[in-house]
Amino acid sequence: MLIQNRRSFLRMLGAAGVASPLALTLGRNAAAAGGDVKVMFVYMPDGVIPSMWHPQGGTTGFTLPAMTQPLEAIRDDLVFVRGLKMYAGGATHEGGVAKLLTGDGPVSLDVFLGDQLGGDTPHKSVQLGVATNFQNGSGSMSYIGPGQQVAPDDNPLSAFDRLFGDLQGGEAPPPGPDWAKIRSTRVIDRSLDDLNRLRSRLGATERDKLDIHLEALQEVEAQIKGTVTGSCDQVVWNTEGFTVSETDYYPKTWEKEEHFALVGKLQMDLAVLALSCGVTRVSSLMWSHPVSPTRIPTLTVGSANHDASHYGADLAGPLALDYIAYKRFFCEQLVYLVQRLAAIPDGDGTLLDNTILFMGTDINDGNQHDHDDMPFVLAGRAAGQLATGRSLDYRGTAGGEDEAHSKLLVSIANMAGVSIDEFGYTGKGTGGLPGLLG
């Protein structure tokens, strides 16, 4: 019997009477997820240098300057959007991060869409972070109500346990990770017997899809638990890499600058896996926070991220060069994330085909602390609704002023299947962003 798609495959799971924790999770959630539009929001801190961020040229025949040059590798999967202003609300960093996903309304778009789309998923929305809660006096981008922020989970170990702990069966784990249990028990092993029996009943196409999900879960689990998978020449985890020390109180292990890039990779992998497996349809990831104190040792920069953002008038000076290096780093992480999404089958295409990803920040120009001409990037095709490989310029298109970024939030909701015509600020009209779809 040849299984034609994931939905029929999951129906077969039920017919076969498979009751393993993993099968139950896939059967309960992924059936609704395959082919549906998923949404992911990514935050990077402290703005940009506009002339070194925004594409130069036309809608399609554009070139990328120094900060966004790493995105050349995935330019055909992106839509660059400029000329959007975050109107109303507070100014500078704090006001910017508060408005980014709320449009100056009470609830952020990730939480709102989670409530609208997440009825059949274990987690309506998932908020992950990288050193987001370390020395953060500026706030989060996620809100469940007026002034009620959602603090992202910065610890990939606890995030994994929270997202996939139900696969272990039994009672809910006690507060805080049980390191001995996590390291001695492989989640996948509890389901392998059932899954191996099931594989013999599947066609080649569905066996391949099942194997991809298992390999992704095993890779993340191996990275988090400090183990290896595959042969000796296919190690996916450096045993001298990320481990948690119980003596690390300030900063915590996952907040340390030397682990910033690695924790970010683990969190991206978790977000992709959660979307792929139907654990959620809405995820967000914050890299640090506004007024970021982060230094990334591998960049060999002389200043912290926020310090570099005050680069002054000298675009060839040391602060500007550090600032460029930071933005290139965050663009490189976006490349990794997009390529991960593109590698995973979903419905009749890939997870990237069925995702709308938004990357933004809290201010425009690091020197000016303004909210004009915000540097936004979209990725994914939202199940064919979004044509990519474009650069769109909305400067002066709203009666001589920039369009409101809240219209972009409306468009994202509409692409996710939630029909609204306003989200937050409406001073420049309602509806989605003109010319975006297609």
Side-chain angles (χ1 to χ4, degrees):
M1 175 181 177
L2 178 62
I3 311 300
Q4 297 297 325
N5 54 50
R6 186 184 299 170
R7 294 173 191 264
S8 54
F9 159 61
L10 290 161
R11 287 195 292 269
M12 182 176 178
L13 285 178
V18 176
S20 72
L22 179 60
L24 288 174
T25 298
L26 290 174
R28 185 174 61 243
N29 307 315
D36 292 332
V37 175
K38 291 81 173 171
V39 188
M40 186 168 182
F41 301 95
V42 178
Y43 166 86
M44 65 174 186
D46 300 333
V48 301
I49 300 175
S51 65
M52 295 192 175
W53 176 273
H54 295 297
Q56 300 166 358
T59 301
T60 56
F62 55 85
T63 59
L64 297 176
M67 282 183 166
T68 47
Q69 195 281 326
L71 297 178
E72 184 67 35
I74 56 170
R75 64 178 284 155
D76 290 341
D77 299 312
L78 305 178
V79 178
F80 296 88
V81 182
R82 70 176 304 181
L84 302 185
K85 180 175 180 176
M86 296 198 297
Y87 288 95
T92 69
H93 295 281
E94 295 81 2
V97 73
K99 289 185 289 186
L100 183 62
L101 297 187
T102 67
D104 200 39
V107 177
S108 57
L109 189 58
D110 58 331
V111 172
F112 172 77
L113 290 180
D115 288 340
Q116 298 297 311
L117 303 173
D120 295 328
T121 62
H123 298 270
K124 290 185 176 181
S125 60
V126 173
Q127 288 77 26
L128 302 174
V130 188
T132 303
N133 299 293
F134 179 63
Q135 295 183 352
N136 185 355
S138 300
S140 170
M141 67 177 178
S142 298
Y143 285 79
I144 60 173
Q148 298 175 284
Q149 299 182 31
V150 180
D153 190 343
D154 290 346
N155 180 359
L157 296 171
S158 67
F160 179 84
D161 192 55
R162 177 168 57 88
L163 295 176
F164 299 98
D166 63 332
L167 301 185
Q168 300 181 55
E171 297 180 358
D178 182 344
W179 304 117
K181 181 179 179 181
I182 288 174
R183 293 189 180 279
S184 63
T185 303
R186 288 181 53 81
V187 174
I188 294 297
D189 285 344
R190 291 179 175 267
S191 302
L192 282 179
D193 288 343
D194 285 339
L195 291 172
N196 283 331
R197 286 194 295 269
L198 174 66
R199 289 182 83 259
S200 64
R201 308 178 194 178
L202 301 179
T205 300
E206 290 305 327
R207 282 202 303 268
D208 290 343
K209 290 182 179 180
L210 179 60
D211 289 343
I212 289 171
H213 281 293
L214 286 174
E215 288 169 6
L217 185 58
Q218 286 172 324
E219 179 180 341
V220 174
E221 183 184 43
Q223 291 171 334
I224 289 175
K225 295 182 179 181
T227 60
V228 299
T229 59
S231 61
C232 293
D233 60 349
Q234 294 178 324
V235 175
V236 298
W237 172 258
N238 181 353
T239 58
E240 296 180 0
F242 184 69
T243 57
V244 171
S245 170
E246 296 181 0
T247 62
D248 284 343
Y249 296 107
Y250 185 83
K252 298 180 175 66
T253 305
W254 52 89
E255 297 172 336
K256 291 181 178 292
E257 291 175 342
E258 59 265 34
H259 301 314
F260 188 81
L262 178 56
V263 169
K265 179 180 182 296
L266 292 174
Q267 298 287 51
M268 287 189 289
D269 288 342
L270 280 176
V272 170
L273 189 60
L275 294 174
S276 174
C277 293
V279 172
T280 189
R281 283 182 60 186
V282 184
S283 179
S284 67
L285 175 66
M286 284 189 70
W287 289 92
S288 190
H289 55 78
V291 195
S292 172
T294 295
R295 294 174 186 265
I296 303 175
T298 56
L299 299 184
T300 63
V301 293
S303 57
N305 185 87
H306 178 252
D307 294 336
S309 72
H310 292 279
Y311 55 89
D314 185 3
L315 296 185
L319 287 178
L321 294 178
D322 285 354
Y323 198 30
I324 292 169
Y326 280 114
K327 298 303 115 171
R328 289 176 64 90
F329 170 83
F330 292 118
C331 286
E332 289 166 358
Q333 308 318 302
L334 182 61
V335 170
Y336 174 81
L337 179 57
V338 168
Q339 290 177 341
R340 288 284 287 150
L341 291 167
I344 297 178
D346 186 74
D348 295 327
T350 69
L351 194 55
L352 182 64
D353 291 329
N354 294 322
T355 296
I356 178 67
L357 185 153
F358 166 90
M359 185 170 81
T361 184
D362 49 293
I363 57 174
N364 170 33
D365 191 320
N367 260 343
Q368 302 298 322
H369 286 77
D370 65 302
H371 296 168
D372 302 327
D373 197 13
M374 291 296 295
F376 297 143
V377 179
L378 301 177
R381 295 173 183 85
Q385 301 173 82
L386 185 65
T388 54
R390 296 182 295 158
S391 174
L392 304 179
D393 189 347
Y394 290 93
R395 287 177 294 176
T397 61
E401 296 186 282
D402 289 356
E403 287 280 8
H405 100 286
S406 55
K407 291 185 177 182
L408 176 57
L409 302 183
V410 170
S411 291
I412 292 172
N414 293 165
M415 284 187 281
V418 178
S419 180
I420 58 174
D421 63 3
E422 62 182 68
F423 196 82
Y425 177 80
T426 58
K428 298 299 175 185
T430 60
L433 198 59
L436 177 64
L437 300 185

